[in-house]
Amino acid sequence: MKSMLIAVGTSLIIASPAFAQDVSEDGWTGEGSLSAGTTTGNTETTDLGIGVNAARKVGLWTTGVELVADYGELDGIESRNRYFLAGQVDRDLSEKLYAFGRTSYEVDEFSGFESRTFVGGGLGYHIFKGDTLAWSVEGGPGFKIDEVRPFAAVLDETGAVVTPAIEGMTEESVAFIGASDYSYAFNDNVTFTNTTSILYAQESTQIGNVVAITAALSDALSARFSFDVRHDTNPPMGFEDTDTATRISLVYALGG
């Protein structure tokens, strides 16, 4: 079922009429980002993150891809290892209304899940659509697969069970996705963005929010400060329900 779901999601991307057009007509635009940090002293931490967010519009069709990868170590021990890949195809229905199809795949070594896959679609609306202020919302139904990672029981020094064993399992459910993408340009060089996503399913609901300030350093290069919150309403036993990340990143504009 999972392989079929991924195949269906992939077909949403590659079967779009946008790819039937000449690639050179509009080309791809977007951004790539790199964040890195380290601390020394009582604790030594290393964090590295990369991201790509690009889109291509041809006529009424827009095709977008998103990739995020995060890795971290605390005192030489891996403490973060996550990657997320998504693709989306939009089709304009009017100046502000559009339909979309979306697929995503996530692996997070410290979430208790082997992987999380979603395929769905729906409608979106541009509340504001300008160079200074832009805000769009979208939502619709879909299908979600959560692969729960098996874990052995954790015992204390007396042999008592601290955390019971978790059996590996596959949870399949009808889901609903909702998103809000807001941006405001204070001037030509500084922009505020707030991106929110909700992926509801019966077994668990994922909520994410990223707030960021981006300042241009040159025509193609920018600096960004961001705060990322990810919350899961029902994580596997023994795992935290909320993760946060504060980042300072260099951002490079793709295309133009």
Side-chain angles (χ1 to χ4, degrees):
M1 182 61 161
K2 178 182 175 183
S3 60
M4 183 177 69
L5 183 59
I6 295 175
V8 171
T10 303
S11 69
L12 288 173
I13 307 304
I14 64 176
S16 163
F19 281 88
Q21 306 291 333
D22 186 353
V23 174
S24 64
E25 180 177 335
D26 287 292
W28 290 84
T29 59
E31 63 180 36
S33 62
L34 172 65
S35 62
T38 182
T39 63
T40 61
N42 293 320
T43 60
E44 295 186 0
T45 64
T46 301
D47 290 284
L48 178 67
I50 60 173
V52 175
N53 196 330
R56 175 172 173 259
K57 182 174 178 63
V58 179
L60 299 176
W61 295 87
T62 301
T63 304
V65 293
E66 179 184 357
L67 169 65
V68 177
D70 293 311
Y71 179 82
E73 290 185 355
L74 176 61
D75 290 337
I77 300 175
E78 185 179 82
S79 59
R80 181 181 302 158
N81 190 342
R82 172 183 180 262
Y83 66 85
F84 174 85
L85 176 65
Q88 181 163 323
V89 175
D90 299 343
R91 203 278 188 183
D92 292 341
L93 302 178
S94 68
E95 183 180 356
K96 290 192 172 185
L97 184 67
Y98 63 94
F100 73 91
R102 180 178 178 85
T103 182
S104 64
Y105 180 74
E106 177 184 14
V107 173
D108 188 342
E109 294 293 334
F110 296 90
S111 69
F113 294 93
E114 289 281 3
S115 64
R116 314 186 89 169
T117 305
F118 171 82
V119 169
L123 294 175
Y125 187 78
H126 298 289
I127 300 174
F128 299 105
K129 193 175 182 182
D131 294 334
T132 300
L133 175 61
W135 185 17
S136 62
V137 294
E138 60 187 36
F143 193 76
K144 187 168 181 275
I145 296 179
D146 290 337
E147 298 280 359
V148 181
R149 181 181 292 114
F151 286 94
V154 177
L155 310 178
D156 62 16
E157 61 275 5
T158 67
V161 176
V162 177
T163 303
I166 299 175
E167 294 185 6
M169 65 183 73
T170 300
E171 298 175 343
E172 301 179 352
S173 58
V174 174
F176 180 88
I177 190 170
S180 168
D181 191 357
Y182 176 91
S183 68
Y184 179 79
F186 293 104
N187 51 50
D188 292 339
N189 297 317
V190 181
T191 303
F192 168 83
T193 56
N194 185 31
T195 304
T196 305
S197 63
I198 299 176
L199 183 50
Y200 169 83
Q202 183 176 358
E203 294 298 331
S204 67
T205 297
Q206 294 171 262
I207 303 171
N209 192 79
V210 181
V211 177
I213 292 286
T214 304
L217 302 177
S218 67
D219 289 342
L221 192 64
S222 300
R224 174 175 296 159
F225 176 82
S226 63
F227 182 69
D228 184 351
V229 179
R230 289 183 290 112
H231 177 77
D232 195 315
T233 60
N234 187 30
M237 186 177 296
F239 289 86
E240 298 290 336
D241 58 9
T242 302
D243 289 322
T244 64
T246 302
R247 296 186 177 91
I248 297 177
S249 311
L250 283 177
V251 181
Y252 184 80
L254 306 175

